Amino acid sequence: MQMKDEGFNIDINVDWSTGLIFGGNEHNCGTWQDKMGESEKAGTKGKPGSPRDGAPVEITGLLKSTLRWLNELSSTGKFPFKGVEADSKFYIVQYG
């Protein structure tokens, strides 16, 4: 309701050298822990309190936790896959 159109123009990517997800822009909250400004008087209307351009720590932490869990399942034989094929370049990404 408060976000400007620019906030919807985002690209999300993976940095394959680090495995981190990155993207967003200065006009977009990007995660559930942000608050979009609503005050015209304070000059915050349509501006995120803490924009998530770059690699947001909340999503990076969730990714790390998920990969740790999948690696544990895979190494104990409870999950048959060791990784995934990703991106158009067909990276093989292993969990552990």
Side-chain angles (χ1 to χ4, degrees):
M1 182 167 124
Q2 304 298 329
M3 191 162 58
K4 298 175 184 175
D5 286 343
E6 296 91 352
F8 293 100
N9 299 328
I10 60 170
D11 289 318
I12 305 297
N13 297 293
V14 176
D15 179 344
W16 293 110
S17 66
T18 64
L20 296 178
I21 297 170
F22 69 95
N25 64 43
E26 65 186 31
H27 306 287
N28 182 281
C29 287
T31 72
W32 58 92
Q33 294 187 348
D34 294 325
K35 171 76 171 109
M36 186 63 73
E38 298 181 18
S39 174
E40 289 183 23
K41 184 176 181 180
T44 63
K45 184 171 179 69
K47 296 180 182 178
S50 53
R52 294 300 199 242
D53 52 335
V57 68
E58 305 93 331
I59 294 174
T60 301
L62 183 60
L63 174 63
K64 180 180 180 188
S65 177
T66 301
L67 292 175
R68 182 184 305 132
W69 175 66
L70 287 173
N71 185 50
E72 182 180 320
L73 290 176
S74 178
S75 62
T76 59
K78 296 177 183 174
F79 189 67
F81 305 103
K82 300 288 182 200
V84 295
E85 289 183 9
D87 202 18
S88 61
K89 296 176 184 170
F90 295 102
Y91 290 97
I92 303 297
V93 182
Q94 294 185 344
Y95 301 131

